[in-house]
Amino acid sequence: GMTGNLYLAKLKSQASPDVVKNLETVESLSFQAADMIKRLLTFAHKDIGVEMRPFDLVSYIREVITLNKKVMPANIHFIQDICKQELVIRGDTNQMQQLLLNLLANARDAVSEAEKPVVILKVEPFVADEKFAENHPELESYALVHLMVKDNGCGMSDEVLNHVFEPFFTTKEAEGAGLGLAMAYGAIHQQGGIIELDNRGLGITVDIYLPLVDEKGSVIKEEDDNTGSEGRGETILVVDDNHEILTTMKDVLDTLGYRVLLASDGMDAVETYRTNRETVSLTIMDIIMPNLSGVKAAEKMKEIDPEVKVIFSSGYDREQLQQADMPPDQYDILVKPYQIGMVSRKIRALLDAS
């Protein structure tokens, strides 16, 4: 509701650049707030935005570093000891990118006052022996990938080390939110892995172990969230029990060139679709609603027309969703809040697929 209204306000304020700039600042802060909540949910293993899929960690890390060259200043000796073989893990690429950039940023800050600053990034295959497995009984596989970030910076005391994975704990007084390592901890454990910190010797060593999977890695392509796709007069049915989201989505989709019908719950959605089945091209459906859930409503709509097109959306965490009916894997789930450009592209892609 917030980000959708900001999108509309920016469209109506094009003649006032200063107003647009202020609105863009508020929009950025809105997504920052959403990101903070997302990190907390990741720590609690409840983040619904997680998309677990197999991918080659080696090529992905190389790509992330190439696209984020400024993460490590030129005055720091950045050693990349990355193996050449494919190491496929199952995880969420967005989480992995954020995790890697957080670890490198922490290492960069730690060596800021070192006389000869050095940061080492290492990626290698690792086979757990009996002692390692005994120390980590939660491991389900002995075949792992080892990701290490090591610095020769100021290090940290045992007292600090005992609290680094706690949300909002930070040693960066000015700019630190204290969620980077907490998010990393949640993300790694969510993927069945292990994360350890070692303060023995000079600096800090972060060791991450993730289970390898016997699958072919997918090709990761980053998308530009700022580019959208316009409608061609198609009718979209928007279903949500939140009135503000309903009206905002109607206004947004109107500006994108779509006709819009609204429904406030699953039962209303089925009846609206039944009445307008010849004109409705696609439905954007909330998952958890009173009277009839989004998934049950979609099933009834499919009885009316087996070719019905549905995109689901939700702002609930995974635990709450697991207590509800979940859509089958072939359906997209939009995680609130979402970028308008991204939503418009998903709509366009689904409509053009027929």
PDB file of all heavy atoms in Angstrom, residues 126-150:
ATOM      1  N   PHE A 126      34.969 -29.411   0.194  1.00  0.00           N
ATOM      2  CA  PHE A 126      35.386 -29.860   1.527  1.00  0.00           C
ATOM      3  C   PHE A 126      34.651 -31.151   1.862  1.00  0.00           C
ATOM      4  O   PHE A 126      33.422 -31.235   1.706  1.00  0.00           O
ATOM      5  CB  PHE A 126      35.061 -28.778   2.565  1.00  0.00           C
ATOM      6  CG  PHE A 126      35.437 -29.130   3.975  1.00  0.00           C
ATOM      7  CD1 PHE A 126      36.724 -28.907   4.444  1.00  0.00           C
ATOM      8  CD2 PHE A 126      34.507 -29.694   4.843  1.00  0.00           C
ATOM      9  CE1 PHE A 126      37.081 -29.226   5.745  1.00  0.00           C
ATOM     10  CE2 PHE A 126      34.842 -30.014   6.150  1.00  0.00           C
ATOM     11  CZ  PHE A 126      36.141 -29.778   6.598  1.00  0.00           C
ATOM     12  N   VAL A 127      35.390 -32.139   2.305  1.00  0.00           N
ATOM     13  CA  VAL A 127      34.791 -33.412   2.734  1.00  0.00           C
ATOM     14  C   VAL A 127      34.952 -33.532   4.245  1.00  0.00           C
ATOM     15  O   VAL A 127      36.067 -33.528   4.772  1.00  0.00           O
ATOM     16  CB  VAL A 127      35.457 -34.612   2.031  1.00  0.00           C
ATOM     17  CG1 VAL A 127      34.823 -35.912   2.518  1.00  0.00           C
ATOM     18  CG2 VAL A 127      35.312 -34.495   0.522  1.00  0.00           C
ATOM     19  N   ALA A 128      33.839 -33.603   4.936  1.00  0.00           N
ATOM     20  CA  ALA A 128      33.868 -33.664   6.402  1.00  0.00           C
ATOM     21  C   ALA A 128      34.407 -35.009   6.869  1.00  0.00           C
ATOM     22  O   ALA A 128      34.002 -36.061   6.360  1.00  0.00           O
ATOM     23  CB  ALA A 128      32.466 -33.444   6.958  1.00  0.00           C
ATOM     24  N   ASP A 129      35.336 -34.965   7.825  1.00  0.00           N
ATOM     25  CA  ASP A 129      35.811 -36.206   8.427  1.00  0.00           C
ATOM     26  C   ASP A 129      34.965 -36.528   9.655  1.00  0.00           C
ATOM     27  O   ASP A 129      34.023 -35.792   9.992  1.00  0.00           O
ATOM     28  CB  ASP A 129      37.300 -36.111   8.772  1.00  0.00           C
ATOM     29  CG  ASP A 129      37.612 -34.952   9.715  1.00  0.00           C
ATOM     30  OD1 ASP A 129      36.680 -34.483  10.415  1.00  0.00           O
ATOM     31  OD2 ASP A 129      38.768 -34.502   9.760  1.00  0.00           O
ATOM     32  N   GLU A 130      35.288 -37.611  10.327  1.00  0.00           N
ATOM     33  CA  GLU A 130      34.469 -38.049  11.465  1.00  0.00           C
ATOM     34  C   GLU A 130      34.469 -37.034  12.607  1.00  0.00           C
ATOM     35  O   GLU A 130      33.441 -36.810  13.254  1.00  0.00           O
ATOM     36  CB  GLU A 130      34.976 -39.408  11.978  1.00  0.00           C
ATOM     37  CG  GLU A 130      34.699 -40.553  11.014  1.00  0.00           C
ATOM     38  CD  GLU A 130      35.090 -41.896  11.604  1.00  0.00           C
ATOM     39  OE1 GLU A 130      35.453 -41.937  12.802  1.00  0.00           O
ATOM     40  OE2 GLU A 130      35.019 -42.902  10.883  1.00  0.00           O
ATOM     41  N   LYS A 131      35.623 -36.408  12.843  1.00  0.00           N
ATOM     42  CA  LYS A 131      35.703 -35.419  13.916  1.00  0.00           C
ATOM     43  C   LYS A 131      34.831 -34.207  13.608  1.00  0.00           C
ATOM     44  O   LYS A 131      34.110 -33.697  14.473  1.00  0.00           O
ATOM     45  CB  LYS A 131      37.151 -34.986  14.124  1.00  0.00           C
ATOM     46  CG  LYS A 131      37.332 -34.005  15.279  1.00  0.00           C
ATOM     47  CD  LYS A 131      38.794 -33.660  15.489  1.00  0.00           C
ATOM     48  CE  LYS A 131      38.951 -32.681  16.655  1.00  0.00           C
ATOM     49  NZ  LYS A 131      40.370 -32.309  16.877  1.00  0.00           N
ATOM     50  N   PHE A 132      34.874 -33.723  12.343  1.00  0.00           N
ATOM     51  CA  PHE A 132      34.060 -32.577  11.939  1.00  0.00           C
ATOM     52  C   PHE A 132      32.577 -32.927  12.068  1.00  0.00           C
ATOM     53  O   PHE A 132      31.774 -32.136  12.575  1.00  0.00           O
ATOM     54  CB  PHE A 132      34.399 -32.182  10.503  1.00  0.00           C
ATOM     55  CG  PHE A 132      33.765 -30.900  10.051  1.00  0.00           C
ATOM     56  CD1 PHE A 132      34.413 -29.684  10.220  1.00  0.00           C
ATOM     57  CD2 PHE A 132      32.513 -30.897   9.453  1.00  0.00           C
ATOM     58  CE1 PHE A 132      33.829 -28.497   9.798  1.00  0.00           C
ATOM     59  CE2 PHE A 132      31.920 -29.720   9.032  1.00  0.00           C
ATOM     60  CZ  PHE A 132      32.587 -28.508   9.200  1.00  0.00           C
ATOM     61  N   ALA A 133      32.214 -34.127  11.611  1.00  0.00           N
ATOM     62  CA  ALA A 133      30.818 -34.563  11.691  1.00  0.00           C
ATOM     63  C   ALA A 133      30.372 -34.715  13.138  1.00  0.00           C
ATOM     64  O   ALA A 133      29.220 -34.418  13.477  1.00  0.00           O
ATOM     65  CB  ALA A 133      30.648 -35.874  10.937  1.00  0.00           C
ATOM     66  N   GLU A 134      31.274 -35.163  13.994  1.00  0.00           N
ATOM     67  CA  GLU A 134      30.938 -35.316  15.418  1.00  0.00           C
ATOM     68  C   GLU A 134      30.681 -33.962  16.063  1.00  0.00           C
ATOM     69  O   GLU A 134      29.794 -33.826  16.916  1.00  0.00           O
ATOM     70  CB  GLU A 134      32.094 -36.030  16.120  1.00  0.00           C
ATOM     71  CG  GLU A 134      31.819 -36.369  17.572  1.00  0.00           C
ATOM     72  CD  GLU A 134      32.975 -37.107  18.217  1.00  0.00           C
ATOM     73  OE1 GLU A 134      33.594 -37.948  17.525  1.00  0.00           O
ATOM     74  OE2 GLU A 134      33.269 -36.842  19.405  1.00  0.00           O
ATOM     75  N   ASN A 135      31.458 -32.944  15.643  1.00  0.00           N
ATOM     76  CA  ASN A 135      31.270 -31.588  16.182  1.00  0.00           C
ATOM     77  C   ASN A 135      30.038 -30.902  15.606  1.00  0.00           C
ATOM     78  O   ASN A 135      29.567 -29.909  16.169  1.00  0.00           O
ATOM     79  CB  ASN A 135      32.508 -30.741  15.901  1.00  0.00           C
ATOM     80  CG  ASN A 135      33.718 -31.200  16.685  1.00  0.00           C
ATOM     81  OD1 ASN A 135      33.581 -31.777  17.766  1.00  0.00           O
ATOM     82  ND2 ASN A 135      34.913 -30.965  16.151  1.00  0.00           N
ATOM     83  N   HIS A 136      29.537 -31.418  14.482  1.00  0.00           N
ATOM     84  CA  HIS A 136      28.376 -30.803  13.828  1.00  0.00           C
ATOM     85  C   HIS A 136      27.358 -31.897  13.488  1.00  0.00           C
ATOM     86  O   HIS A 136      27.163 -32.253  12.322  1.00  0.00           O
ATOM     87  CB  HIS A 136      28.810 -30.056  12.566  1.00  0.00           C
ATOM     88  CG  HIS A 136      29.839 -29.004  12.812  1.00  0.00           C
ATOM     89  ND1 HIS A 136      29.549 -27.785  13.395  1.00  0.00           N
ATOM     90  CD2 HIS A 136      31.172 -28.985  12.567  1.00  0.00           C
ATOM     91  CE1 HIS A 136      30.647 -27.063  13.492  1.00  0.00           C
ATOM     92  NE2 HIS A 136      31.646 -27.765  13.005  1.00  0.00           N
ATOM     93  N   PRO A 137      26.684 -32.428  14.486  1.00  0.00           N
ATOM     94  CA  PRO A 137      25.744 -33.534  14.251  1.00  0.00           C
ATOM     95  C   PRO A 137      24.550 -33.153  13.386  1.00  0.00           C
ATOM     96  O   PRO A 137      23.859 -34.032  12.865  1.00  0.00           O
ATOM     97  CB  PRO A 137      25.294 -33.909  15.675  1.00  0.00           C
ATOM     98  CG  PRO A 137      25.546 -32.683  16.503  1.00  0.00           C
ATOM     99  CD  PRO A 137      26.762 -32.035  15.906  1.00  0.00           C
ATOM    100  N   GLU A 138      24.311 -31.851  13.221  1.00  0.00           N
ATOM    101  CA  GLU A 138      23.178 -31.424  12.396  1.00  0.00           C
ATOM    102  C   GLU A 138      23.434 -31.611  10.910  1.00  0.00           C
ATOM    103  O   GLU A 138      22.508 -31.518  10.086  1.00  0.00           O
ATOM    104  CB  GLU A 138      22.838 -29.951  12.686  1.00  0.00           C
ATOM    105  CG  GLU A 138      23.855 -28.919  12.202  1.00  0.00           C
ATOM    106  CD  GLU A 138      24.990 -28.666  13.188  1.00  0.00           C
ATOM    107  OE1 GLU A 138      25.262 -29.539  14.032  1.00  0.00           O
ATOM    108  OE2 GLU A 138      25.586 -27.575  13.115  1.00  0.00           O
ATOM    109  N   LEU A 139      24.692 -31.864  10.524  1.00  0.00           N
ATOM    110  CA  LEU A 139      25.031 -32.031   9.113  1.00  0.00           C
ATOM    111  C   LEU A 139      24.340 -33.270   8.541  1.00  0.00           C
ATOM    112  O   LEU A 139      24.338 -34.337   9.142  1.00  0.00           O
ATOM    113  CB  LEU A 139      26.545 -32.184   8.941  1.00  0.00           C
ATOM    114  CG  LEU A 139      27.375 -30.912   8.810  1.00  0.00           C
ATOM    115  CD1 LEU A 139      28.838 -31.270   8.635  1.00  0.00           C
ATOM    116  CD2 LEU A 139      26.908 -30.067   7.636  1.00  0.00           C
ATOM    117  N   GLU A 140      23.779 -33.118   7.349  1.00  0.00           N
ATOM    118  CA  GLU A 140      23.128 -34.245   6.678  1.00  0.00           C
ATOM    119  C   GLU A 140      23.991 -34.809   5.552  1.00  0.00           C
ATOM    120  O   GLU A 140      23.648 -35.817   4.946  1.00  0.00           O
ATOM    121  CB  GLU A 140      21.761 -33.807   6.140  1.00  0.00           C
ATOM    122  CG  GLU A 140      20.777 -33.396   7.227  1.00  0.00           C
ATOM    123  CD  GLU A 140      19.421 -33.020   6.674  1.00  0.00           C
ATOM    124  OE1 GLU A 140      19.264 -33.061   5.434  1.00  0.00           O
ATOM    125  OE2 GLU A 140      18.526 -32.687   7.471  1.00  0.00           O
ATOM    126  N   SER A 141      25.106 -34.119   5.243  1.00  0.00           N
ATOM    127  CA  SER A 141      25.973 -34.563   4.163  1.00  0.00           C
ATOM    128  C   SER A 141      27.430 -34.309   4.534  1.00  0.00           C
ATOM    129  O   SER A 141      27.740 -33.328   5.210  1.00  0.00           O
ATOM    130  CB  SER A 141      25.624 -33.827   2.862  1.00  0.00           C
ATOM    131  OG  SER A 141      26.576 -34.092   1.859  1.00  0.00           O
ATOM    132  N   TYR A 142      28.312 -35.180   4.086  1.00  0.00           N
ATOM    133  CA  TYR A 142      29.743 -34.989   4.315  1.00  0.00           C
ATOM    134  C   TYR A 142      30.381 -34.220   3.156  1.00  0.00           C
ATOM    135  O   TYR A 142      31.498 -33.727   3.289  1.00  0.00           O
ATOM    136  CB  TYR A 142      30.439 -36.344   4.472  1.00  0.00           C
ATOM    137  CG  TYR A 142      30.279 -36.990   5.836  1.00  0.00           C
ATOM    138  CD1 TYR A 142      29.193 -36.677   6.652  1.00  0.00           C
ATOM    139  CD2 TYR A 142      31.201 -37.913   6.300  1.00  0.00           C
ATOM    140  CE1 TYR A 142      29.046 -37.262   7.896  1.00  0.00           C
ATOM    141  CE2 TYR A 142      31.053 -38.512   7.555  1.00  0.00           C
ATOM    142  CZ  TYR A 142      29.969 -38.177   8.343  1.00  0.00           C
ATOM    143  OH  TYR A 142      29.817 -38.758   9.588  1.00  0.00           O
ATOM    144  N   ALA A 143      29.692 -34.163   2.011  1.00  0.00           N
ATOM    145  CA  ALA A 143      30.211 -33.443   0.840  1.00  0.00           C
ATOM    146  C   ALA A 143      29.765 -31.993   0.918  1.00  0.00           C
ATOM    147  O   ALA A 143      28.568 -31.687   0.817  1.00  0.00           O
ATOM    148  CB  ALA A 143      29.715 -34.095  -0.443  1.00  0.00           C
ATOM    149  N   LEU A 144      30.722 -31.086   1.111  1.00  0.00           N
ATOM    150  CA  LEU A 144      30.400 -29.685   1.386  1.00  0.00           C
ATOM    151  C   LEU A 144      31.210 -28.750   0.495  1.00  0.00           C
ATOM    152  O   LEU A 144      32.192 -29.154  -0.136  1.00  0.00           O
ATOM    153  CB  LEU A 144      30.697 -29.357   2.851  1.00  0.00           C
ATOM    154  CG  LEU A 144      30.068 -30.262   3.911  1.00  0.00           C
ATOM    155  CD1 LEU A 144      30.725 -30.019   5.259  1.00  0.00           C
ATOM    156  CD2 LEU A 144      28.572 -30.024   3.995  1.00  0.00           C
ATOM    157  N   VAL A 145      30.789 -27.503   0.471  1.00  0.00           N
ATOM    158  CA  VAL A 145      31.611 -26.433  -0.078  1.00  0.00           C
ATOM    159  C   VAL A 145      32.029 -25.547   1.093  1.00  0.00           C
ATOM    160  O   VAL A 145      31.218 -25.240   1.978  1.00  0.00           O
ATOM    161  CB  VAL A 145      30.864 -25.619  -1.155  1.00  0.00           C
ATOM    162  CG1 VAL A 145      29.551 -25.064  -0.631  1.00  0.00           C
ATOM    163  CG2 VAL A 145      31.731 -24.468  -1.670  1.00  0.00           C
ATOM    164  N   HIS A 146      33.286 -25.164   1.104  1.00  0.00           N
ATOM    165  CA  HIS A 146      33.827 -24.315   2.173  1.00  0.00           C
ATOM    166  C   HIS A 146      34.043 -22.913   1.614  1.00  0.00           C
ATOM    167  O   HIS A 146      34.800 -22.727   0.661  1.00  0.00           O
ATOM    168  CB  HIS A 146      35.156 -24.897   2.673  1.00  0.00           C
ATOM    169  CG  HIS A 146      35.847 -24.042   3.683  1.00  0.00           C
ATOM    170  ND1 HIS A 146      37.218 -23.918   3.766  1.00  0.00           N
ATOM    171  CD2 HIS A 146      35.351 -23.244   4.690  1.00  0.00           C
ATOM    172  CE1 HIS A 146      37.533 -23.102   4.746  1.00  0.00           C
ATOM    173  NE2 HIS A 146      36.424 -22.688   5.327  1.00  0.00           N
ATOM    174  N   LEU A 147      33.368 -21.941   2.205  1.00  0.00           N
ATOM    175  CA  LEU A 147      33.532 -20.533   1.859  1.00  0.00           C
ATOM    176  C   LEU A 147      34.169 -19.831   3.053  1.00  0.00           C
ATOM    177  O   LEU A 147      33.625 -19.884   4.158  1.00  0.00           O
ATOM    178  CB  LEU A 147      32.167 -19.912   1.530  1.00  0.00           C
ATOM    179  CG  LEU A 147      32.081 -18.387   1.441  1.00  0.00           C
ATOM    180  CD1 LEU A 147      32.936 -17.872   0.288  1.00  0.00           C
ATOM    181  CD2 LEU A 147      30.627 -17.946   1.252  1.00  0.00           C
ATOM    182  N   MET A 148      35.306 -19.176   2.816  1.00  0.00           N
ATOM    183  CA  MET A 148      36.014 -18.514   3.914  1.00  0.00           C
ATOM    184  C   MET A 148      36.293 -17.062   3.562  1.00  0.00           C
ATOM    185  O   MET A 148      36.698 -16.747   2.439  1.00  0.00           O
ATOM    186  CB  MET A 148      37.347 -19.215   4.194  1.00  0.00           C
ATOM    187  CG  MET A 148      38.151 -18.597   5.340  1.00  0.00           C
ATOM    188  SD  MET A 148      39.866 -19.194   5.401  1.00  0.00           S
ATOM    189  CE  MET A 148      40.608 -18.250   4.067  1.00  0.00           C
ATOM    190  N   VAL A 149      36.064 -16.168   4.530  1.00  0.00           N
ATOM    191  CA  VAL A 149      36.476 -14.764   4.422  1.00  0.00           C
ATOM    192  C   VAL A 149      37.364 -14.472   5.631  1.00  0.00           C
ATOM    193  O   VAL A 149      36.924 -14.614   6.776  1.00  0.00           O
ATOM    194  CB  VAL A 149      35.268 -13.808   4.393  1.00  0.00           C
ATOM    195  CG1 VAL A 149      35.744 -12.355   4.378  1.00  0.00           C
ATOM    196  CG2 VAL A 149      34.394 -14.085   3.171  1.00  0.00           C
ATOM    197  N   LYS A 150      38.608 -14.083   5.358  1.00  0.00           N
ATOM    198  CA  LYS A 150      39.593 -13.864   6.428  1.00  0.00           C
ATOM    199  C   LYS A 150      40.218 -12.483   6.265  1.00  0.00           C
ATOM    200  O   LYS A 150      40.473 -12.028   5.149  1.00  0.00           O
ATOM    201  CB  LYS A 150      40.682 -14.949   6.357  1.00  0.00           C
ATOM    202  CG  LYS A 150      41.776 -14.830   7.416  1.00  0.00           C
ATOM    203  CD  LYS A 150      42.782 -15.950   7.260  1.00  0.00           C
ATOM    204  CE  LYS A 150      43.932 -15.820   8.259  1.00  0.00           C
ATOM    205  NZ  LYS A 150      43.469 -15.924   9.649  1.00  0.00           N
TER     206      LYS A 150
END
